[in-house]
Amino acid sequence: MNIIEIRNLHKVYNTTHVPVYALNGIHLIFKEGEFAAIVGPSGSGKTTLLNIMGGLDEPTQGSVTVAGTDIFSLGQRRLIDFRLQHIGFVFQAYNLIPVMTAGENVEFIMHLQGRPRAERITRTRELLTSVGLADRINDRPNKLSGGQQQRVAVARALASKPRFILADEPTANLDSRSTENLLDIMEQLNIGEHITFIFSTHDPRVVRKARRVITIEDGKVSQDQEKSSGS
Amino acid sequence: MIWSIAWRNVWRNRLRSSVVVVAVTLGLLAGVFTTAFMRGLSEKRIQDAIRTEISHIQIHMPGFSDNTDFSMFIPAASGLADTLNGIDVIAAATRRIVINSMIASAETGTGVMITGVDPGQEMRVTNIHEKITEGEYFRDYRSNPPVVIGEKLAHKLHTGTDRKVVITVTDIHGNTVQGAFKVAGIYRTDNAGFDERNVFVRFADLAGMTGFHPSGAHEIAVRLHETQETDRAVGMLRELRPDLEVLPWQETSPELGYLTSAMDQYMYIFVMIILLALCFGIINTMLMAVLERVKELGMLMAIGMNRIKIFFMIMLESVFLSLTGGILGIVAGYLISKYYQYHDIHLPVQWVEGFREIGYSATVNTITDLPMVFIIALMVIITGVVSSLFPAYKALRLNPADAIRTDN
Ligand SMILES: Nc1ncnc2c1ncn2[C@@H]1O[C@H](COP(=O)(O)OP(=O)(O)O)[C@@H](O)[C@H]1O
Ligand SMILES: [Mg+2]
């Protein structure tokens, strides 16, 4: 089943000087259970693409359909709720609320969804366990390493039971050990629980883990390569 | 959870928030204390005026207050006064003759209000006798009847105790009559204007001089056991004597009647001005708090925190910030006011004369008022909400995609 269908996506940033053509006609389809990397040089449009796929920014032209819903036909208010219910996000940085503990950060998104407290508490513990941070549940982000913070962010993204998780350069700020650790956890979740991950990177070690690699250059898909799993 | 996030966000920048909290605390401490102080001042003024000047209730012939005509006297007033003295809410009632007159010393003269009182009864209604600074409250001289005058008038007339003054009045037939009196006592109240205008002689002396009916009265002054009983007592007396004019103190002296409510209004305006000033500090702090958290707020919007919740969170932060200081200030102000409810505040000596000119005493006790405290607390909350509007508006205009970009 297709969970994301991207058709003829264009994005032009109207800066004060010249318009920037960030995306120039992107067609992509993602299926449930994918573990896909979007690669490309800096400025090629990876962040722009992920932002539009996640409904954070509007395209100049084209459409994004998530599980049958054209997300830009929803209107601002319903789009925010759609993100809350269906899309998980992991950003490069500033993922966590610094005044909340790791557990509270994970729990908070379920609170926004209006889930009952008992469910939130058990699920938070399960999720932090699955990213290997059960013992850090009561620590605030500033007590955690960068890699641990990103793992909390993954747990947080999973907490809302989204259709897929978008991660824009999740390892860009991490050292190689933390990078590997985070990727292993993402891979386990993908294989074990069929969580769909779509992440951007320009780190070759991360690319190697992906089962599908989409290369974009100058706002266009220049290569879309499927690998057989376990390569 | 939003409540707890908001509360913790307030303390992210401890120093900055503390500065605001301290400012709000001091502002409200000042506001609450000043309010209690002004209440105390006006309540003291009212009680003093009732006790020394106007009494709780005055009874006249209808129309007497408008034109103090000699003929407008209450017939058989002594009988009425006796009746009143037997009513339980009434502490005491006394008869008076009230006439506009001239008083002159050897050097100079002036117009005054002369009141003929029955000293024994008068002492149970008003407390001029406690305000005597020189001489005594009436005494018998061999040669002349006694008069009690205010200190300010004594200065004006360049006279003193045991010295002679001449009082000129119109008698019941309309003839001008003069009498020589001796100054038996000089009094000093907290109201210099009163002291300058009011002269007291004995009822019998004034009645004899003017031919006034010995059992009549221009005025019956009534003191109650409790000021709160005024309305009830007035109702009773109006029923008892519908032919007479029965005035409660608020009507005898309308400016005193409005004093408390006028003072309250001024105080609310005063507190509002304090809060308005604090408002700018809170807005500034909240604006900084929003601007330094652009990425975090963008992230919250991105993951699905809607605008209403973002707005609510920022509003709560602002309310917590102002209410922390607000509660500290209100509680501190309340406690200090409570202390000075039982311990006198002595006004600085250089103020005392000026205050006396307008009828205010030199010592004040604060009056605390719980409902007012709650209204002020409510005003603080409103200030917090209002202060959050602009910063929250700034936050809501953020575009999450721009806010979370790490490369800018
Ligand atoms: N808000 C913006 N305003 C103007 N230009 C932008 C904005 N965001 C991105 N761009 C431009 O769009 C292009 C694509 O950027 P981006 O999507 O961030 O690429 P990547 O994530 O691959 O580095 C770049 O040329 C960038 O400068
Ligand atoms: Mg990027």
Side-chain angles (χ1 to χ4, degrees), chain A residues 99, chain B residues 8-20 285 288-289 292 321:
Chain A
V99 296
Chain B
R8 295 185 213 175
N9 278 337
V10 170
W11 299 107
R12 272 165 95 146
N13 192 325
R14 263 164 226 252
L15 179 65
R16 192 175 64 201
S17 292
S18 301
V19 169
V20 175
T285 302
M288 284 199 270
E292 72 193 6
L321 187 64

Side-chain angles (χ1 to χ4, degrees), chain A residues 46-47 168-169, chain B residues 405 407:
Chain A
K46 303 182 294 296
T47 297
D168 189 12
E169 311 228 18
Chain B
R405 269 191 179 273
D407 47 5

Side-chain angles (χ1 to χ4, degrees), chain A residues 61 64 99 117 119 128 139 147 161 166 177 204:
Chain A
Q61 198 192 318
V64 174
V99 296
R117 192 178 147 76
E119 180 193 334
L128 283 177
D139 285 337
K161 298 187 178 165
L166 297 176
R177 258 194 58 209

Side-chain angles (χ1 to χ4, degrees), chain A residues 91-142:
Chain A
F91 305 106
Q92 182 180 328
Y94 309 107
N95 271 298
L96 305 178
I97 308 171
V99 296
M100 309 287 273
T101 63
E104 287 167 332
N105 266 284
V106 174
E107 191 192 339
F108 183 58
I109 196 157
M110 292 184 275
H111 173 82
L112 291 178
Q113 288 180 317
R115 294 191 191 259
R117 192 178 147 76
E119 180 193 334
R120 288 183 340 230
I121 288 171
T122 28
R123 193 162 162 74
T124 298
R125 201 165 298 130
E126 282 168 16
L127 288 166
L128 283 177
T129 308
S130 71
V131 298
L133 291 172
D135 54 333
R136 310 308 295 271
I137 189 163
N138 291 320
D139 285 337
R140 291 207 182 178
N142 62 8

Side-chain angles (χ1 to χ4, degrees), chain A residues 13-15 20-23 40-49 57 168-169 200 216, chain B residues 402 405 407:
Chain A
Y13 288 109
N14 287 308
T15 59
V20 178
Y21 293 88
L23 298 180
S42 182
S44 58
K46 303 182 294 296
T47 297
T48 305
L49 175 61
D57 205 357
D168 189 12
E169 311 228 18
S200 71
I216 53 174
Chain B
D402 292 338
R405 269 191 179 273
D407 47 5

Side-chain angles (χ1 to χ4, degrees), chain B residues 13-258:
Chain B
N13 192 325
R14 263 164 226 252
L15 179 65
R16 192 175 64 201
S17 292
S18 301
V19 169
V20 175
V21 165
V22 168
V24 175
T25 303
L26 294 178
L28 279 147
L29 191 156
V32 168
F33 180 76
T34 311
T35 303
F37 178 82
M38 296 310 272
R39 269 257 172 127
L41 203 61
S42 54
E43 195 55 35
K44 182 99 196 302
R45 165 77 189 118
I46 289 169
Q47 291 308 331
D48 284 352
I50 289 172
R51 195 73 186 90
T52 52
E53 300 171 28
I54 57 178
S55 66
H56 286 110
I57 297 170
Q58 293 187 1
I59 304 172
H60 309 115
M61 288 298 280
F64 173 81
S65 313
D66 306 325
N67 84 21
T68 46
D69 187 332
F70 217 94
S71 64
M72 292 192 128
F73 67 92
I74 306 165
S78 58
L80 177 58
D82 290 344
T83 311
L84 297 184
N85 275 315
I87 295 175
D88 59 353
V89 287
I90 291 172
T94 187
R95 290 187 299 147
R96 294 169 178 169
I97 303 171
V98 182
I99 317 175
N100 280 311
S101 74
M102 288 290 296
I103 187 166
S105 63
E107 293 170 46
T108 176
T110 184
V112 291
M113 182 76 87
I114 181 158
T115 304
V117 300
D118 170 354
Q121 272 306 100
E122 187 67 32
M123 282 163 71
R124 298 177 57 206
V125 175
T126 58
N127 65 352
I128 295 291
H129 61 283
E130 291 169 4
K131 309 281 177 185
I132 299 294
T133 54
E134 229 182 291
E136 36 192 306
Y137 188 64
F138 296 113
R139 56 170 285 206
D140 283 316
Y141 289 102
R142 215 173 305 136
S143 47
N144 299 94
V147 61
V148 172
I149 66 175
E151 187 186 77
K152 184 138 193 212
L153 182 63
H155 286 302
K156 197 167 163 186
L157 295 176
H158 303 289
T159 189
T161 44
D162 300 330
R163 290 172 60 182
K164 237 188 250 177
V165 289
V166 173
I167 290 171
T168 310
V169 293
T170 313
D171 72 6
I172 55 165
H173 306 297
N175 301 321
T176 303
V177 289
Q178 285 195 332
F181 288 74
K182 244 183 189 171
V183 177
I186 292 174
Y187 69 88
R188 174 191 160 101
T189 68
D190 286 328
N191 185 351
F194 179 87
D195 299 358
E196 187 176 359
R197 281 191 314 273
N198 289 277
V199 167
F200 299 92
V201 299
R202 290 193 296 217
F203 189 103
D205 296 335
L206 192 57
M209 185 175 157
T210 57
F212 193 82
H213 199 290
S215 66
H218 281 133
E219 178 172 286
I220 294 177
V222 177
R223 184 162 79 86
L224 304 174
H225 292 293
E226 299 290 341
T227 303
Q228 296 93 292
E229 300 276 18
T230 306
D231 288 347
R232 195 164 76 90
V234 166
M236 275 169 59
L237 297 182
R238 281 181 180 159
E239 207 163 300
L240 182 72
R241 289 300 297 269
D243 58 318
L244 298 178
E245 178 185 77
V246 180
L247 294 181
W249 60 268
Q250 299 96 320
E251 285 176 47
T252 306
S253 175
E255 70 275 14
L256 288 185
Y258 299 133

Side-chain angles (χ1 to χ4, degrees), chain A residues 13 47-48 51 56-57 80 83-84 89 91-92 94-95 97-100 104 108 111-112 140 156, chain B residues 1-2 5 8-9 12 295-296 299-307 309 399-401 404-406:
Chain A
Y13 288 109
T47 297
T48 305
N51 282 349
L56 300 181
D57 205 357
I80 292 184
R83 289 203 298 263
L84 176 63
F89 292 93
F91 305 106
Q92 182 180 328
Y94 309 107
N95 271 298
I97 308 171
V99 296
M100 309 287 273
E104 287 167 332
F108 183 58
H111 173 82
L112 291 178
R140 291 207 182 178
R156 197 264 321 274
Chain B
M1 279 187 105
I2 291 181
I5 299 180
R8 295 185 213 175
N9 278 337
R12 272 165 95 146
K295 288 189 188 298
E296 185 183 323
M299 178 274 291
L300 289 169
M301 287 183 192
I303 66 169
M305 187 167 177
N306 66 35
R307 277 155 208 271
K309 285 177 178 151
N399 171 0
I404 55 173
R405 269 191 179 273
T406 32

